[in-house]
Amino acid sequence: MTMDNHAACYAAFQSKDSRFDGHFFVGVTSTGIYCRPVCRARLPRPENCTFFKTAAEAERAGFRPCLLCRPELAPGCAPMVPATRLQTRSAAPETAPGCAPVDASRRLAVLAAKRLEEHCGSIESLEELAASLGCTARHLRRVFREEYRVSPVQYLQTCRLLLAKSLLTDTGLSVLEVAMASGFGSLRRFNDLFRARYHLSPTSLRRQTGQADRLEGQNISLMLGYRPPYDWERLLAFLAPRAIPGVEIVRDSAYYRTVRLVRRDGTNVCGWIRAENVLAQNALRVTVSTPLLAVLPQVLARVRELFDLNCDPNRINETLQAMETLKPGLCVPGVRVPGCFDPFEMAVRTILGQQITVKGTTTLAGRVARELGTPIRTEVEGLTHVFPTARDIYGLEEPVSGRLGALGIIAARANTISALAGKMMDGSIRLSAGADPEQTASQLMELPGIGAWTAGYMAMRASGWTDAFLETDHGIKKALAPRKAGEIRELAERWRPWRSYAMMNLWNSL
């Protein structure tokens, strides 16, 4: 389905099917409003509907966001599915569904969009963004417009405006605080653009949505949408035993953690967050402590990655239904692949966990957080420290092996952690969403003490790799017993490009 296929788009809009949520938006010419495809307002006539790939494109065409379905709550675009290197060399007919090669231009545009969303509060210029992506501003404008049909600046403005709209609707922040948290440099600039795009002032919007009397000065809560089904409890069951003492907590069907992020001026901002599922709204409610307002877009982007909110479960299930022939109930709709909030923290925990139990790993990671992390005061019992950064580890005055050795970590693991910290410090290795996962895994395996399993697991969780498959994993072999290694590899080929989700199903089955 493309935006040019009016009949198909209207049929999807008419169905109100959550599978299409976030994949397109509908501009209604008779009202000047644009909606999500799940909007429950009265269905407009086909001739009054125009379809757009992004909210930014709808706003560029002069449409205002619907106050009922709230386009700012729509889930993001599902992750790209890159071809494997083998498939890139040969476009054979047996290429798995969904594995069509993703060209470099599209990858660049999607990565730029992710950067704009995560750093909409701190990006100053297109030249700065282009330089960070290793291209010219002119080239970035061209490929971005081809992919999203708007310029990067227009996309950035929409990111800021929709975040501001969400804050005005769901929080008691003052208009000035909303403007600053959304990335606007001044209140005047915010007011002018808001009126120009939405034809009303921020305070008028707050009155219309009935939020003018909200209390100020409290922690804020925002909603982040996802496409159902969403197996929240299984995801928490994965995260709970791996929660680092003092840094993370899973209790009462909610996830809590401490946060340290860096502002544009280089200063650290510390706080805490809570995430809980609101099933009736197909969304997570994310509570953010007040100090984190300065880095709110970063917080929300990392929450989306951690909880795999951009996943398209129905598309994945179409491929993984083949798992049902192995064992009924093996493929569970709505299973997500856990990402990570802090890539370095996750990587350290993975290294510590080599050849020891999950419980033992959690104990060691807790010691690292307590001894080398930064103490923090929170109103959540049990959240006491933020995990050390790569700079903290790499900058230790004494040998890392000695400092970590005192915590019960063997020298080989300590040296691996030190080497990784150095590579992340100088930018040689990028553990982040949008990075090429296979390239990242190859770079990780060049470090002493990191093998294929460790590198693949890190790339899966930090880079959103949908097609990782850790064939040497004990749990995978146990779940697929008595099959031999060759049989397991052959079987897993049927699950491309969603083998990461297949692994989660196999681990969950144990």
Side-chain angles (χ1 to χ4, degrees), residues 53-54 57 77 80 103 105-110 113 141-150:
K53 185 172 183 178
T54 64
E57 186 184 7
C77 293
M80 287 188 306
D103 61 56
S105 294
R106 184 179 177 220
R107 176 173 291 280
L108 176 64
V110 172
R141 285 191 196 93
R142 181 178 62 80
V143 299
F144 199 94
R145 189 174 288 277
E146 287 177 357
E147 179 65 23
Y148 293 105
R149 304 204 276 198
V150 294

Side-chain angles (χ1 to χ4, degrees), residues 93-137:
E94 56 267 24
T95 297
C99 277
V102 176
D103 61 56
S105 294
R106 184 179 177 220
R107 176 173 291 280
L108 176 64
V110 172
L111 182 53
K114 280 183 174 289
R115 295 277 182 91
L116 290 170
E117 292 167 9
E118 182 173 357
H119 301 285
C120 70
S122 58
I123 289 177
E124 290 291 335
S125 67
L126 182 60
E127 286 70 21
E128 175 190 6
L129 175 62
S132 71
L133 296 172
C135 67
T136 65

Side-chain angles (χ1 to χ4, degrees), residues 173 177 181 216-221 263 269-273 287-296 299 377 379:
L173 296 175
E177 289 172 320
E216 299 186 16
Q218 299 179 337
N219 300 321
I220 68 166
S221 292
R263 300 178 62 172
V269 180
C270 296
W272 61 271
I273 63 170
T287 301
V288 180
S289 63
T290 305
L292 295 178
L293 278 177
V295 288
L296 183 60
V299 171
R377 279 190 172 185
E379 57 191 73

Side-chain angles (χ1 to χ4, degrees), residues 78-410:
M80 287 188 306
V81 181
T84 64
R85 293 194 171 96
L86 176 63
Q87 291 161 347
T88 302
R89 289 194 297 268
S90 174
E94 56 267 24
T95 297
C99 277
V102 176
D103 61 56
S105 294
R106 184 179 177 220
R107 176 173 291 280
L108 176 64
V110 172
L111 182 53
K114 280 183 174 289
R115 295 277 182 91
L116 290 170
E117 292 167 9
E118 182 173 357
H119 301 285
C120 70
S122 58
I123 289 177
E124 290 291 335
S125 67
L126 182 60
E127 286 70 21
E128 175 190 6
L129 175 62
S132 71
L133 296 172
C135 67
T136 65
R138 180 179 179 183
H139 179 63
L140 181 58
R141 285 191 196 93
R142 181 178 62 80
V143 299
F144 199 94
R145 189 174 288 277
E146 287 177 357
E147 179 65 23
Y148 293 105
R149 304 204 276 198
V150 294
S151 70
V153 171
Q154 290 168 329
Y155 193 92
L156 175 62
Q157 288 178 336
T158 298
C159 289
R160 289 174 172 170
L161 284 169
L162 289 180
L163 176 56
K165 181 177 178 293
S166 186
L167 290 169
L168 288 166
T169 303
D170 292 337
T171 77
L173 296 175
S174 69
V175 175
L176 176 60
E177 289 172 320
V178 168
M180 295 302 106
S182 305
F184 291 93
S186 71
L187 181 60
R188 180 178 178 180
R189 188 192 307 177
F190 169 55
N191 281 324
D192 289 347
L193 186 59
F194 200 93
R195 286 193 182 94
R197 287 281 187 91
Y198 298 163
H199 307 307
L200 75 169
S201 69
T203 52
S204 297
L205 172 70
R206 183 163 268 172
R207 282 195 296 271
Q208 285 191 27
T209 54
Q211 306 302 323
D213 57 351
R214 280 183 175 265
L215 296 175
E216 299 186 16
Q218 299 179 337
N219 300 321
I220 68 166
S221 292
L222 295 172
M223 306 296 281
L224 296 179
Y226 58 75
R227 298 177 186 89
Y230 190 102
D231 200 334
W232 174 248
E233 295 301 329
R234 283 185 190 266
L235 184 55
L236 288 188
F238 180 90
L239 295 173
R242 295 165 176 81
I244 300 174
V247 176
E248 302 171 283
I249 298 172
V250 175
R251 66 174 175 231
D252 300 328
S253 293
Y255 173 86
Y256 302 76
R257 69 161 295 122
T258 58
V259 170
R260 170 167 48 189
L261 292 170
V262 182
R263 300 178 62 172
R264 179 177 175 80
D265 61 9
T267 59
N268 288 324
V269 180
C270 296
W272 61 271
I273 63 170
R274 178 181 71 237
E276 55 192 335
N277 189 27
V278 183
L279 183 61
Q281 298 184 42
N282 293 331
L284 296 189
R285 179 184 290 113
V286 181
T287 301
V288 180
S289 63
T290 305
L292 295 178
L293 278 177
V295 288
L296 183 60
Q298 290 187 61
V299 171
L300 298 180
R302 294 193 182 208
V303 169
R304 288 189 182 96
E305 296 296 334
L306 171 59
F307 295 113
D308 198 12
L309 296 186
N310 293 344
C311 167
D312 189 339
N314 294 286
R315 182 182 176 196
I316 294 167
N317 198 50
E318 289 174 0
T319 299
L320 297 191
Q321 272 297 310
M323 299 182 76
E324 290 293 289
T325 61
L326 303 177
K327 178 184 176 183
L330 186 57
C331 176
V332 178
V335 163
R336 297 303 204 262
V337 173
C340 67
F341 193 94
D342 181 336
F344 181 69
E345 172 193 296
M346 181 276 301
V348 169
R349 196 194 180 288
T350 304
I351 294 168
L352 293 176
Q354 293 172 334
Q355 300 178 339
I356 66 172
T357 64
V358 170
K359 184 176 181 180
T361 304
T362 300
T363 299
L364 290 178
R367 291 175 187 170
V368 173
R370 185 177 63 251
E371 298 299 325
L372 301 178
T374 303
I376 180 176
R377 279 190 172 185
T378 72
E379 57 191 73
V380 181
E381 183 181 356
L383 293 184
T384 59
H385 290 77
V386 291
F387 201 80
T389 64
R391 184 181 299 277
D392 293 333
I393 298 294
Y394 197 68
L396 290 174
E397 295 182 359
E398 59 185 286
V400 174
S401 58
R403 189 67 182 273
L404 296 183
L407 305 178
I409 300 168
I410 64 174

